[in-house]
Amino acid sequence: MMQGNSRTVESQQPGVHEKLEAIVEKYQHTLNRRPIHAHTQQAFDDIADWLSDWQGEVILDSCCGVGKSTAGLALQYPDARVIGVDKSALRVGKHAHYQSSQDNYRVVRADVVDFWRLMRSAHDESSWRVTGHYLLYPNPYPKPSQVQKRWHASQAMPDLMALSERMEVRSNWLIYLEEFAIAAAKYGMECQISPVDPALPARTPFELKYQNSGQTCWQLLGKRTGS
């Protein structure tokens, strides 16, 4: 169990990155040609088999870590199929500590950048659709020089935004979510940002750690315009 006393995010970037919009617009017109990692292809193929005859809702929990959030979402949405994805074999291997008795979810090790591309490609040929997407692991990379490592300013953003009309993103760095909202707006998604209610159970061990440290966690709720 993660304890408190977590350091706050420190950055020399006082607000939204000055080059954010230009970076987002560049990647809107850039095709990602990076080869798919073999282990991610196998993980996706396994998930595709699991979803092969499914016609209900699919919820994606990206960067799920140990999968606590994935198990929680499976309980919250018992009529959906929930997929947790994380690149770390170590973290995924610890999911047994958080596993629930629900049979409507899977936690897999995969590179989310590749997984998003594969999920996007499969949409047109599948009976299922991703109806909700969660990014609950903080991904700030707070140094100004690291801006393109943030999901919303990376080459993965077009695939990320194509997957679902509804998103929830959480972080302990407000600027990160403010940037995400600006980037998502360029894809027709309206976002609202608010503090996470500390009276509610933490979705992830990281969120619990920040709450125990007295930090405010923030959530962004995004919805495609007209959906």
Side-chain angles (χ1 to χ4, degrees):
M1 180 73 67
M2 292 186 177
Q3 303 300 317
N5 302 318
S6 177
R7 292 188 302 174
T8 57
V9 176
E10 297 180 359
S11 177
Q12 295 180 341
Q13 184 182 315
V16 171
H17 197 284
E18 60 182 7
K19 296 182 179 178
L20 175 69
E21 293 195 55
I23 294 169
V24 174
E25 290 169 1
K26 178 187 73 172
Y27 283 129
Q28 280 186 299
H29 302 96
T30 302
L31 185 62
N32 186 351
R33 299 182 181 276
R34 192 184 77 169
I36 301 291
H37 290 85
H39 75 277
T40 298
Q41 183 69 61
Q42 182 60 59
F44 173 79
D45 291 344
D46 292 343
I47 290 296
D49 287 343
W50 182 53
L51 296 175
S52 60
D53 58 353
W54 182 249
Q55 297 184 359
E57 293 189 55
V58 174
I59 293 174
L60 189 58
D61 182 21
S62 292
C63 307
C64 69
V66 295
K68 178 181 187 294
S69 53
T70 314
L73 288 167
L75 287 167
Q76 183 178 349
Y77 300 103
D79 296 326
R81 291 200 171 179
V82 183
I83 306 161
V85 184
D86 196 90
K87 68 179 182 180
S88 168
L90 179 63
R91 288 193 289 265
V92 170
K94 294 180 179 179
H95 178 61
H97 299 290
Y98 301 90
Q99 194 163 359
S100 79
S101 59
Q102 293 288 111
D103 62 359
N104 64 323
Y105 81 97
R106 298 287 186 273
V107 174
V108 298
R109 180 199 169 221
D111 183 313
V112 294
V113 175
D114 291 348
F115 201 86
W116 292 341
R117 286 172 60 195
L118 292 168
M119 292 284 283
R120 180 183 182 182
S121 297
H123 267 195
D124 294 338
E125 302 174 3
S126 306
S127 59
W128 49 267
R129 292 289 182 273
V130 177
T131 54
H133 194 175
Y134 291 79
L135 276 166
L136 304 176
Y137 178 84
N139 172 243
Y141 285 103
K143 293 181 180 180
S145 61
Q146 296 175 319
V147 61
Q148 292 187 72
K149 292 186 176 183
R150 303 169 197 164
W151 291 128
H152 49 265
S154 75
Q155 63 179 352
M157 189 60 169
D159 295 319
L160 170 60
M161 296 307 300
L163 284 178
S164 177
E165 296 180 346
R166 179 173 61 87
M167 286 197 68
E168 180 172 341
V169 186
R170 293 193 179 189
S171 179
N172 61 330
W173 192 36
L174 181 57
I175 289 173
Y176 180 83
L177 296 187
E178 291 173 340
E179 288 187 349
F180 198 104
I182 291 171
K186 293 186 177 294
Y187 291 85
M189 181 172 281
E190 295 180 351
C191 300
Q192 295 182 335
I193 301 171
S194 61
V196 174
D197 186 349
L200 297 176
R203 284 196 180 272
T204 67
F206 278 98
E207 188 175 303
L208 178 61
K209 180 179 69 172
Y210 299 136
Q211 289 179 352
N212 289 343
S213 300
Q215 296 185 40
T216 300
C217 293
W218 303 87
Q219 65 179 4
L220 175 150
L221 301 178
K223 188 176 183 182
R224 189 86 61 195
T225 305
S227 62

